[in-house]
Amino acid sequence: MMGVKNITFEKNGKSLNIYISNKSKILYKDISKTIDSNVVFKYLESLFSIIDDWKKEYIDTKTIDEEYWNLSITYVDDSKKEYHGKSNYPSNFEAFERLNQKLINEVLNG
């Protein structure tokens, strides 16, 4: 699926992992569930449209209360794309978080 093998998103100590293969899986908190390939395809399509113009780094050096986040996409050839930030986000970061929440709700809550 689009050559993606794994997606990991971490924010403030919480992580969401999506493993893509013949039997794709989502791992969130202590729950692991299989994901339907159509759901994975729609997620990836939306994900890549959201992150299309993201820079690799969003760092706010002036903020004392720091929030860290990291998005890592591993492809089947083991190459990676990584995006990260500290108390700063891309302008459409909320759309990305909504996409993740929608996936979590759809897969984990049925």
Side-chain angles (χ1 to χ4, degrees), residues 67-79:
E67 287 189 344
Y68 294 93
W69 64 272
N70 184 60
L71 171 63
S72 178
I73 302 168
T74 305
Y75 293 89
V76 293
D77 65 359
D78 287 326
S79 63

Side-chain angles (χ1 to χ4, degrees), residues 3-57:
V4 176
K5 181 167 78 173
N6 178 284
I7 297 170
T8 301
F9 173 60
E10 299 169 308
K11 183 178 176 189
N12 299 330
K14 294 180 182 175
S15 66
L16 167 67
N17 292 290
I18 302 167
Y19 302 98
I20 301 166
S21 64
N22 291 341
K23 292 216 174 202
S24 299
K25 290 191 171 216
I26 183 172
L27 178 61
Y28 180 70
K29 297 184 180 179
D30 61 346
I31 300 169
S32 177
K33 288 226 176 172
T34 302
I35 310 172
D36 179 84
S37 60
N38 291 326
V39 172
V40 173
F41 182 78
K42 287 178 186 176
Y43 174 84
L44 291 174
E45 191 173 57
S46 296
L47 172 68
F48 285 112
S49 71
I50 290 170
I51 68 170
D52 184 50
D53 63 345
W54 280 16
K55 299 181 291 184
K56 292 186 183 288
E57 188 173 81

